[in-house]
Amino acid sequence: PAPTPSAAANAGAAGVSLTLSPSGAGTVTAGADLIVTVEITNPGEDALADGSLDLSLGRTPITSTAVYDSWLAAASGDGTATGTADAASDIPVSVVATAPTTALPSGATHTLQLTVPAAQLQLGAWGVYPLSAAYSVGGTAEATAHATVVWSDGVSATPAPAGVTVIAPITTTAGSTGLIPKAELEKYTAVNGTLTRQLDAVLGRPVTIAVDPRIIVSIRALGSTAPTSAVSWLARLDAAPNPVIPLSYGDSDIAAEHQAGAPELLKPTSFAYALDAANFADVGPLIEPSATPTAGASTTPTPTAAPATAPTLEQLTAWDYTTTTLAWPRSGTVVSGDLPFFAQGGLTTTILDSRQVSPADGNGGAVDAAAKAGDQSILVADHDVSTAMQDALAATSDTERGQAIARLASSLALAASASGTAPTEGSGAGPQVLAVLDRTSTEFSGLDQVLATVEALPWSAPHSLQSLLATVPSQAVNVIDAPEAGDRLGQVGVLLGQSQSIASFSSVLSDPSLLTGQNRADVLALLSNAWTTDLTRWNKAVQDDITATTKTLNSVQIVEGSSINMVANQANLPVTVSNDTGFPVNVVVHVTPSNGRLVVEQSDVPVTIEASSRKGVQIPLAAGVANGPVVLSFQLLSPSGVLISTPAPVMVNVSADWETWGTVIVAVLVVALFGFGIVRNILRRRKRATVDGSADAPAGTHE
């Protein structure tokens, strides 16, 4: 679950907050004093004068999660809980210790301890008891905080230890690319990098590792160019004795996928766009992890035969997971219809927060860790236990961490004594409890203390994921629908629509996966749950992706031409096609005339355009039945007939009669010219003959 502000440290009207940290991990034993550390913080602009702090204790145990949650949520700034019956849960409390407080300047924090002698505790049977503190200045209540302690006198019956299964996600910060860049991998897997710290915290401990496959694939896709630290990190994960399960790729928001209309669970389809076969010589161990990792195994890969070519999708994503059937949607985002959608994608068991389920019998009791919602299997993560663990990890002071550890002890005590989670018959073991750490936090500092608490408490003990999965669910529950926000689903829907457009457009490539594979991986990265902590950046990243996708969809176009005059009966019309993608594309230039004045002798002309280039195409045309304007509509289709570009019109003025009349005129001129020459020659000959005849006649003879 996402971390929530502790109700035991609610701020008052002036912004003052209290943090209560009972000693002994929130456990009080017979004969021991109750010591409570209280941290008072004044974040306001005004200083506070001297005041007083009252510590109150209830003598009626809290026996249900509902009352427990109500008590922790009931603190307010008016101090009414002290010395009275709490309005939310009707649990009476009485003051057991009072201490004066010094003036508190603006922005200051004051810490003090209050001790309740063992003789004044007067608690009854084993159980969880309410604790509260009220801070007043000049008789005015400034803040009230609620907490609990577990009374364990060693005499009252203690429930059998609850078996606690802890799942910790290993993820990175939000990103917008389907593969983590090399520089970031090197930073994350460095000695003090995020991924190194996460793995250090869980390795060899009673924790199930839920790893984002994007990390594994990103390292493997680099082949021999992968950072040494990243390869070593991957080998350490391979050798981990912990159970390991996969998150969705990129830890994508699988509930949003379904609610936004995805036809199926989104998974990677190809990483061919990012692979260079030259980088995959002698990298066998990087691609093929050991089948049975063991504790203490060497983290140095043993060279094996390398694949001759770039690895396949299956090779990049393969891992020896404990199970691959768990769906882990983000807490508070699921509706009942999501579960069958997950199951259709192979995720047959869904992890849900306990606040999203209720017993189907309507009795309002506890819910088993393994249950059934209709015909769907679910694992129920205890909200209070999970939140207490996460608060302990997120604490910034010893007092905050102590407060969270105390809440963990109380939450586990309630889980161990819950009637709805009966132990396995004949096993002597207590109920099973599932706790999940926050997937939006990448820090596990303090996990050792959390796990040590689980191991040390008499009513809890570590439990394996395998045992929990082996449990046959017997309890029926209902899913309490908590759909995703509408604006988020709107954005996700746009991304899904863009992906469909890319899938259609990619048919111009000989290998469509070069486009679709990258688009799918990038969309999964954008759907990462890590983005939910920074919606402003997420909205910008989504818009950037939409802009880039639109550019890709418009990257193959017919270059606009000008109007053309066609005076011949036949002609070849030149058309230029541009390709701004980084891949060669195969298209068909389809031409449609607006009327019969022009006949397109080949209406579909196939052409291949190299990456980032232009190419001309000749379209054969013939004059039709008459002269006049014709609009030629040019479209680009993929070889499979998918429309790639919007119609590009070109105006052609057909004047094919000019060719006929021109021929006639030329013929007439030629005939006239030859006729004129012949007549001229005849006249010349006659003239010459006349002249010659006059010269030959006898002298004195005249006509």
Side-chain angles (χ1 to χ4, degrees), residues 582-609:
F583 311 101
V585 299
N586 304 303
V587 296
V588 175
V589 181
H590 179 72
V591 188
T592 305
S594 61
N595 55 57
R597 293 169 182 161
L598 200 58
V599 176
V600 180
E601 296 184 336
Q602 185 178 352
S603 59
D604 293 313
V605 180
V607 59
T608 298
I609 307 101

Side-chain angles (χ1 to χ4, degrees), residues 558 573 575 588-605 619-622 629-637 643 645-652 654:
I558 293 176
L573 179 63
V575 176
V588 175
V589 181
H590 179 72
V591 188
T592 305
S594 61
N595 55 57
R597 293 169 182 161
L598 200 58
V599 176
V600 180
E601 296 184 336
Q602 185 178 352
S603 59
D604 293 313
V605 180
I619 306 297
L621 304 175
V630 179
V631 177
L632 292 180
S633 179
F634 289 87
Q635 295 176 307
L636 291 181
L637 307 176
L643 180 64
S645 68
T646 56
V650 173
M651 176 68 74
V652 178
V654 180

Side-chain angles (χ1 to χ4, degrees), residues 25 63 136 170 201 221 259 364 409 430 449-450 510 591 664 678:
T63 57
S136 302
I170 290 186
Q259 293 172 36
Q449 185 177 357
V450 169
S510 298
V591 188
V664 172
I678 293 171

Side-chain angles (χ1 to χ4, degrees), residues 525-540:
L526 285 171
L527 293 181
S528 173
N529 289 293
W531 281 109
T532 58
T533 60
D534 193 344
L535 294 181
T536 299
R537 283 185 60 236
W538 181 69
N539 286 325
K540 182 181 183 303

Side-chain angles (χ1 to χ4, degrees), residues 498-510 512 515-516 549-557 578-583 585-587 636-640 642-645:
Q498 295 269 86
S499 292
Q500 291 178 345
S501 298
I502 285 290
S504 297
F505 176 83
S506 67
S507 57
V508 300
L509 273 63
S510 298
L515 276 182
T516 58
T549 300
T550 301
K551 182 179 179 181
T552 298
L553 295 174
N554 295 325
S555 60
V556 180
Q557 293 287 340
S578 65
N579 172 24
D580 295 332
T581 72
F583 311 101
V585 299
N586 304 303
V587 296
L636 291 181
L637 307 176
S638 72
S640 60
V642 176
L643 180 64
I644 299 303
S645 68

Side-chain angles (χ1 to χ4, degrees), residues 313-332:
L313 172 66
E314 290 72 21
Q315 289 175 313
L316 289 172
T317 57
W319 196 264
D320 185 36
Y321 293 114
T322 302
T323 180
T324 58
T325 62
L326 287 181
W328 185 10
R330 194 173 73 258
S331 176

